[in-house]
């Protein structure tokens, strides 16, 4: 069935380190892909998105490229900050009329000073 | 900036009791959703709601669950006769299109 597989956490990095969180999906058709972030005590916030193959989503220094050939949407950031500590969720919707999201399990990122 | 709000932030109930989780979506949005996250597991879609009716529901969303938009601003999830396995974080979301805006969640604990 349709699913999202994310890199298992937790991930612990030092400030200014390079971040990659892997995400692959299994879905029919041409889904739109998303990364959501959840800071402690808050709801899910959209971080970035890509709606078609080869699109690159970017926001706050984070990037992810929609790779249809590998069904992947890996999240990267060149230099993480302590304030990036959060849980990151990869997700997709398959379009249609209601845009429901299918999520991965989430990856906890902790950035130490 | 408009945001989705949810109340209560934490609800504790006894098994078999009914609970109502409340959400106030962003005012000009037309699509509404409930998701849940059992501790340590993925966020799961429960139900979507559009034009005053359910547009899609998951296999989790059985007869125990119902949703309602009683007054044009609130969007509620009712769980009848709660079970231990209903303990989870419940997220409400709303959208005007592809991007969904999430509330902070209600943590439901069933004892």
């Amino acid at each position: 069935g349709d699913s999202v597989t994310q890199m298992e956490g937790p991930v612990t990095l030092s400030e200014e380190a390079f971040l990659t969180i892997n995400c692959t999906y299994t879905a029919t058709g041409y889904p739109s892909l998303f990364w959501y972030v959840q800071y402690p005590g808050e709801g899910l916030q959209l971080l970035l998105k890509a709606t078609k193959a080869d699109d690159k989503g970017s926001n706050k220094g984070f990037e992810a490229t929609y790779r249809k050939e590998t069904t992947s949407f890996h999240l990267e950031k060149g230099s993480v900050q302590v304030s990036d500590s959060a849980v990151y969720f990869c997700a997709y919707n398959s379009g249609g009329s209601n845009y429901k999201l299918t999520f991965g399990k989430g990856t906890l990122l902790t950035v130490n000073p | 900036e408009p945001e989705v709000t949810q109340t209560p932030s934490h609800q504790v109930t006894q098994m078999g009791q009914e609970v109502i989780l409340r959400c106030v979506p962003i005012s000009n949005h037309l699509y509404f959703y409930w998701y849940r996250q059992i501790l340590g597991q993925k966020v799961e879609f429960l139900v979507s709601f559009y034009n005053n009716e359910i547009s899609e529901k998951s296999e989790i969303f059985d007869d125990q669950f119902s949703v309602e938009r009683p007054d044009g601003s609130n969007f509620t999830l009712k769980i009848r006769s709660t079970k231990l396995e209903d303990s989870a974080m419940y997220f409400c979301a709303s959208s005007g299109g592809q991007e969904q805006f999430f509330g902070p969640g209600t943590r439901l604990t069933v004892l």
Side-chain angles (χ1 to χ4, degrees):
Chain A
D2 293 352
S3 67
V4 177
T5 302
Q6 271 183 251
M7 187 168 117
E8 289 281 330
V11 173
T12 302
L13 296 173
S14 298
E15 208 164 22
E16 300 183 3
F18 183 84
L19 168 71
T20 300
I21 301 178
N22 290 338
C23 172
T24 57
Y25 65 91
T26 305
T28 56
Y30 299 90
S32 294
L33 305 176
F34 304 86
W35 278 99
Y36 278 82
V37 59
Q38 185 178 32
Y39 298 104
E42 299 184 18
L44 299 165
Q45 300 175 28
L46 179 65
L47 179 60
L48 53 83
K49 67 180 181 184
T51 57
K52 61 182 189 297
D54 300 324
D55 268 3
K56 178 186 282 188
S58 61
N59 186 27
K60 299 181 181 179
F62 290 89
E63 294 183 338
T65 301
Y66 189 143
R67 301 284 188 203
K68 187 156 180 64
E69 64 277 13
T70 54
T71 62
S72 64
F73 193 54
H74 305 321
L75 182 68
E76 296 181 336
K77 186 173 186 181
S79 176
V80 293
Q81 306 300 311
V82 172
S83 57
D84 294 327
S85 298
V87 181
Y88 292 82
F89 294 90
C90 184
Y92 75 83
N93 76 43
S94 293
S97 61
N98 75 45
Y99 307 115
K100 75 169 189 185
L101 291 168
T102 299
F103 284 90
K105 270 192 164 184
T107 303
L108 173 63
L109 170 66
T110 301
V111 180
N112 295 317
Chain B
E1 185 177 327
E3 59 182 16
V4 177
T5 59
Q6 289 186 243
T7 54
S9 57
H10 191 188
Q11 173 92 47
V12 181
T13 190
Q14 296 290 323
M15 189 169 57
Q17 296 297 303
E18 174 182 287
V19 296
I20 298 176
L21 309 184
R22 291 184 166 80
C23 170
V24 179
I26 293 172
S27 62
N28 61 345
H29 284 179
L30 300 177
Y31 299 88
F32 313 111
Y33 310 83
W34 283 102
Y35 295 84
R36 79 172 186 190
Q37 184 181 30
I38 295 171
L39 188 63
Q41 299 186 25
K42 60 178 63 179
V43 177
E44 301 172 290
F45 168 78
L46 292 178
V47 65
S48 58
F49 192 87
Y50 170 73
N51 201 25
N52 286 319
E53 60 183 24
I54 291 173
S55 49
E56 186 170 346
K57 60 184 180 180
S58 72
E59 60 211 26
I60 302 168
F61 194 89
D62 59 21
D63 292 344
Q64 178 195 10
F65 295 89
S66 61
V67 289
E68 193 176 35
R69 189 154 160 79
D71 56 13
S73 63
N74 289 283
F75 179 52
T76 62
L77 174 69
K78 181 189 290 186
I79 310 175
R80 287 180 280 275
S81 189
T82 49
K83 301 179 282 220
L84 295 176
E85 54 265 37
D86 294 328
S87 294
M89 181 73 88
Y90 289 81
F91 294 104
C92 172
S94 70
S95 74
Q98 286 239 26
E99 181 176 350
Q100 293 184 26
F101 293 80
F102 283 79
T106 293
R107 179 168 297 285
L108 176 65
T109 302
V110 182
L111 302 176

